[in-house]
Amino acid sequence: MRGIAQKELQRQQRWLVAAGNGCPRAVSDFGFAARTYHGTQLNNGRFLALRGDLRDTLGVQLSATQVTERLLDSYKHTGGINHLDGKNLPSKRAIARISMDLLRLLFPGFFDEKLIHSSELKAETGQMVEGVLAALEAEVAKSLEYSPPPELQIGKRDLKPIARAYTLEFLESLPRIRDLLQTDTEAAYNGDPAALSKEEVIVAYPFIEAIAVQRLAHELYLKNVPLIPRIMTEWAHTRTGMDLHPGARIGSHFFVDHCTGTVVGETSIIGDHVKMYQGVGLVARSLAAGQALRGKQRHPTIEDHVTIYAGATIMGGDTVIGEHSTIGANVFLTTSVPPHSLVIQEEANVKVTSKKDRDKGSSAADFTV
């Protein structure tokens, strides 16, 4: 059998070479099989087989120059998504690198590829702080030039000293952020029986990364630094599946189990010891007014010791969830609830039937996973 298979492979290779050389009979007789190879469709519907290491250029109708001209024409006529001849924006790539370095500063040894010995900690930390300071200062300067906070009244002043002061004040907040993150780690470990250790929580749970970046970005948000806080949290969003706005005020001992799909809006207020599950949304009731709602309380307030289960949606800036309350899964809530409340969804009905007792003549297919 092996000899027959080898002969068949050799026959196919000979036909492909013949087809590549333009042999009509090879194309006619072997056109169908050539579809499994790199090839070009001919006018008669058959395929011309090509060797795999040859580029198929017969179907290329445009040159790179023509593509460039069409893009330039699009840039000219389709505005609104171009940023040309304007102020230099912060670099998303640079902010991502800075965010990763900040995580390394917050959790020494957890986001590094090699173990850091305690005798090396001072030198390693000092070097990293200097690098983050220089890189973040440059991005903050770009942000302030793009949209200076009104309280600064910068005018034509040099932005570098202001950017450096902002960056140093931000880095000064890292020990305080670490204190908060320690409570988040404790809440995650104590609240999840599947957690093997606090080390596993930090190194593996996407929640820790998401809340760490949010707490960092929140410090810059409070200083009215534009663009950078949102770039940071959206970077974490893409990595963790959890959307925490940098403007949200989040207390200590916060934990979101499973993390994915959770959304916390800009003006949300979350107290201490709050636990949530995947798919929870703390969102605005209506955004029809658009930019007129900027700066107003649009998202709910969650008081201390509240648990919110998977898929629950809580809406509105005037909605307050009282302390020690529990919100059940899939609840859709637009009104406040008093402290020590249990809120569950009762309208939905679930029907369970025996598959053995079903009509054998039914053609309905089973649900499968």
Side-chain angles (χ1 to χ4, degrees):
M1 292 295 295
R2 180 182 238 174
I4 295 174
Q6 187 172 7
K7 289 181 180 179
E8 176 61 17
L9 177 61
Q10 292 173 349
R11 185 188 72 82
Q12 291 181 7
Q13 290 174 341
R14 286 196 298 270
W15 280 113
L16 287 172
V17 171
N21 291 330
C23 174
R25 182 172 177 271
V27 173
S28 175
D29 292 349
F30 203 69
F32 175 78
R35 293 172 186 266
T36 61
Y37 292 80
H38 180 60
T40 298
Q41 191 170 14
L42 303 178
N43 292 334
N44 59 9
R46 297 190 176 96
F47 279 77
L48 175 61
L50 301 175
R51 283 167 46 195
D53 58 345
L54 295 178
R55 289 191 61 186
D56 176 9
T57 59
L58 295 179
V60 178
Q61 301 298 323
L62 294 175
S63 67
T65 301
Q66 290 172 311
V67 171
T68 301
E69 292 297 330
R70 293 190 180 187
L71 276 173
L72 291 174
D73 186 62
S74 171
Y75 299 156
K76 181 179 179 181
H77 292 94
T78 307
I81 55 173
N82 307 332
H83 186 74
L84 306 171
D85 304 322
K87 296 175 181 177
N88 195 9
L89 298 178
S91 165
K92 291 180 66 174
R93 189 172 300 176
I95 298 302
R97 289 195 298 266
I98 292 168
S99 298
M100 182 56 71
D101 285 342
L102 287 168
L103 289 174
R104 294 169 65 193
L105 287 171
L106 292 174
F107 302 99
F110 280 100
F111 287 84
D112 293 279
E113 295 182 0
K114 62 181 182 67
L115 179 66
I116 299 177
H117 195 273
S118 56
S119 62
E120 305 170 330
L121 187 59
K122 182 176 181 178
E124 290 279 348
T125 303
Q127 184 178 0
M128 194 174 304
V129 168
E130 289 292 340
V132 170
L133 174 60
L136 184 56
E137 178 186 336
E139 301 305 319
V140 170
K142 295 177 188 177
S143 297
L144 296 179
E145 181 182 8
Y146 166 76
S147 180
E151 66 271 14
L152 287 182
Q153 298 180 349
I154 293 177
K156 295 183 178 180
R157 292 166 53 192
D158 185 8
L159 292 173
K160 290 184 178 179
I162 300 174
R164 186 171 185 83
Y166 271 36
T167 306
L168 285 171
E169 290 174 7
F170 166 74
L171 293 175
E172 190 179 9
S173 70
L174 294 186
R176 176 168 48 83
I177 294 175
R178 274 178 47 83
D179 291 340
L180 281 172
L181 291 174
Q182 185 179 30
T183 71
D184 299 330
T185 303
E186 291 175 359
Y189 176 68
N190 294 330
D192 185 5
L196 298 177
S197 64
K198 292 180 181 178
E199 286 79 10
E200 182 188 48
V201 169
I202 296 173
V203 79
Y205 282 34
F207 160 74
I208 291 296
E209 186 172 320
I211 187 59
V213 174
Q214 194 279 341
R215 294 197 186 282
L216 290 165
H218 185 66
E219 294 296 321
L220 294 172
Y221 176 92
L222 293 176
K223 294 182 178 298
N224 290 323
V225 174
L227 300 179
I228 293 178
R230 196 65 185 272
I231 294 173
M232 292 174 66
T233 54
E234 292 299 338
W235 174 75
H237 183 190
T238 62
R239 290 169 58 87
T240 66
M242 186 172 177
D243 187 0
L244 300 178
H245 195 283
R249 292 158 53 186
I250 302 175
S252 69
H253 298 84
F254 182 55
F255 176 43
V256 181
D257 201 357
H258 303 297
C259 194
T260 307
T262 299
V263 177
V264 176
E266 179 183 22
T267 60
S268 299
I269 301 174
I270 300 176
D272 299 335
H273 296 275
V274 171
K275 182 178 182 180
M276 303 195 307
Y277 287 82
Q278 70 273 15
V280 169
L282 306 183
V283 297
R285 182 177 289 109
S286 173
L287 298 177
Q291 290 295 320
L293 295 173
R294 180 186 295 275
K296 297 182 179 181
Q297 182 72 30
R298 308 183 303 278
H299 304 91
T301 296
I302 313 298
E303 294 186 346
D304 297 347
H305 296 279
V306 170
T307 300
I308 308 175
Y309 282 92
T313 299
I314 304 174
M315 302 178 68
D318 56 353
T319 301
V320 178
I321 306 302
E323 63 180 1
H324 293 278
S325 292
T326 298
I327 311 300
N330 299 317
V331 166
F332 188 86
L333 197 59
T334 60
T335 57
S336 297
V337 300
H340 300 274
S341 295
L342 172 63
V343 184
I344 59 175
Q345 187 86 18
E346 286 190 334
E347 290 80 1
N349 294 317
V350 177
K351 182 180 180 181
V352 180
T353 60
S354 171
K355 293 202 285 187
K356 294 181 179 180
D357 296 337
R358 289 186 312 166
D359 183 5
K360 296 181 179 181
S362 174
S363 60
D366 292 337
F367 290 101
T368 59
V369 178

